[in-house]
Amino acid sequence: MRLLVTGGAGYVGSVVAARLVEAGHEVTVLDDLSTGHEDAVPPGARFVRASITEAHDVLADKDAVLHFAARSLVGESVEKPGLYWANNLGGTLALLDAMRAQGVGSIVFSSTAATYGEPERSPILETDPTRPTNPYGASKLAVDTALSAYADISGLGAVSLRYFNVAGAYGRFRERHTIETHLIPNVLKVATGERESVKVFGTDYATPDGTCVRDYIHVQDLATAHLLALEAATPGEHKIYNLGSGTGFSVQEVVSVCREVTGHAIPAEVGPRRAGDPAVLVASSEKIRRELGWKPEKAELSRMVEDAWGALSGKSG
Ligand code: UFG
């Protein structure tokens, strides 16, 4: 297929773009490089440096869009909500209208666990209430709502994938944010010597060891889900799937696994809770397993940390 991958110079987008090229698709990456890196665009993909509001011409001959381009920092979204509404919702609406004008009928969208907010139960099902607690989650939920409307009115075939905590790497394609807020890359920065210690945000949660529990999914398993979602896009339907591994790991467990994988002592300091962190976020991924036959192949946290560490320390191929 002829595919447009928005945000294909970012972490998840670059991994999926690489997998699509390997699968024989004709891939164009559209990215404004506001947070992405041009050298993350995989060889074999065409690169267009532009915003998602400027996608009209590049959509002319495309069969489908995989839409990753977005602002994705929860804390920043609380400080600058306008940026999140304008980029994530406004930008996506412009993209959807350009797709409609050019007759592009399918989209796979990067949604998020943040659409659910503080969960009432665990694991979270797709039918659970969506009550985002920050503008990031709210802007992504608004796009999900828009996708349902576009499916109804214009026959768009849409699939939203609600990611939980993405980790790991694919060869050299890895997470490298200028402002790093995520746990695993920050812990590994201690092992590389870039940081002296990791701060554990809160040890007084109602969890077995008092630290927050998250559901980590390997970026390669996430990429596989995108290839399945692309095939599953059906005109006039909007499908929504959670994507995690179904198992929760606490912050302390993540730090322990990073110590084992890197052989580094990784000193940890206890700090106060980070505002807005739910105690436990674990996905039920039963729906995508059942409907699309998805199965994680690297569900062990150690595999994710090994691959992230390998890419960071240049040991990957
Ligand atoms: N944490 C630390 N120290 C750090 C970084 C994180 O203790 O230096 C803790 C956090 O407080 C949290 C856990 O590690 O309890 C995981 O934090 P991340 O920042 O790695 O990930 P989040 O669970 O906050 O974020 C993820 C996605 C977001 C999404 C959110 C949904 O990365 O895109 O889940 O709530 F919005």
Side-chain angles (χ1 to χ4, degrees):
M1 292 172 90
R2 286 165 300 187
L3 303 170
L4 183 68
V5 178
T6 75
Y11 172 39
V12 182
S14 65
V15 173
V16 175
R19 289 281 303 276
L20 290 168
V21 169
E22 284 163 25
H25 294 287
E26 197 180 304
V27 175
T28 301
V29 164
L30 180 116
D31 198 302
D32 65 4
L33 300 183
S34 55
T35 54
H37 308 271
E38 189 168 349
D39 63 5
V41 176
R46 182 181 156 221
F47 176 56
V48 176
R49 183 173 182 173
S51 139
I52 48 174
T53 58
E54 300 163 328
H56 180 271
D57 292 351
V58 83
L59 281 166
D61 60 347
K62 299 297 179 286
D63 301 309
V65 174
L66 293 104
H67 179 32
F68 300 90
R71 294 269 165 181
S72 63
L73 298 176
V74 170
E76 184 186 55
S77 81
V78 175
E79 285 161 26
K80 300 176 185 167
L83 192 61
Y84 280 71
W85 287 110
N87 189 84
N88 295 1
L89 179 61
T92 303
L93 293 178
L95 178 69
L96 290 174
D97 284 335
M99 285 174 64
R100 196 175 175 188
Q102 295 285 22
V104 182
S106 302
I107 186 166
V108 178
F109 172 61
S110 302
S111 188
T112 168
T115 54
Y116 295 108
E118 184 78 49
E120 278 173 8
R121 61 171 174 180
S122 185
I124 301 170
L125 291 170
E126 290 83 351
T127 46
D128 283 353
T130 42
R131 288 191 288 250
T133 50
N134 52 66
Y136 166 61
S139 66
K140 289 278 183 171
L141 180 62
V143 172
D144 279 344
T145 308
L147 289 174
S148 295
Y150 277 70
D152 283 345
I153 56 157
S154 68
L156 181 71
V159 182
S160 292
L161 300 178
R162 290 192 172 155
Y163 311 168
F164 281 61
N165 291 60
V166 188
Y170 181 47
R172 69 181 177 87
F173 301 103
R174 63 179 174 88
E175 192 166 10
R176 46 182 172 137
H177 300 116
T178 313
I179 307 167
E180 192 50 77
T181 61
H182 290 142
L183 179 62
I184 294 175
N186 276 340
V187 177
L188 294 180
K189 277 182 188 206
V190 183
T192 58
E194 279 173 77
R195 293 175 65 136
E196 284 193 358
S197 64
V198 63
K199 187 153 274 169
V200 175
F201 298 143
T203 52
D204 58 350
Y205 286 94
T207 58
D209 66 16
T211 64
C212 288
V213 170
R214 294 290 182 270
D215 184 342
Y216 294 86
I217 176 172
H218 199 296
V219 70
Q220 293 177 31
D221 288 325
L222 188 58
T224 303
H226 285 77
L227 273 78
L228 293 170
L230 188 60
E231 288 168 29
T234 308
E237 286 184 32
H238 177 211
K239 302 173 185 178
I240 297 177
Y241 297 106
N242 286 343
L243 271 167
S245 299
T247 312
F249 293 93
S250 73
V251 173
Q252 296 285 21
E253 286 172 319
V254 170
V255 175
S256 297
V257 170
C258 291
R259 285 180 182 138
E260 279 162 30
V261 169
T262 62
H264 189 285
I266 308 184
E269 279 172 50
V270 174
R273 288 184 177 198
R274 189 172 71 177
D277 274 341
V280 179
L281 276 178
V282 177
S284 166
S285 297
E286 281 313 308
K287 188 179 173 199
I288 191 163
R289 289 173 192 252
R290 193 175 62 243
E291 293 188 7
L292 306 191
W294 177 78
K295 196 159 63 65
E297 286 181 356
K298 292 191 164 186
E300 303 85 12
L301 186 60
S302 57
R303 302 287 296 276
M304 303 180 210
V305 174
E306 276 162 21
D307 288 352
W309 179 239
L312 196 62
S313 49
K315 288 180 202 141
S316 62

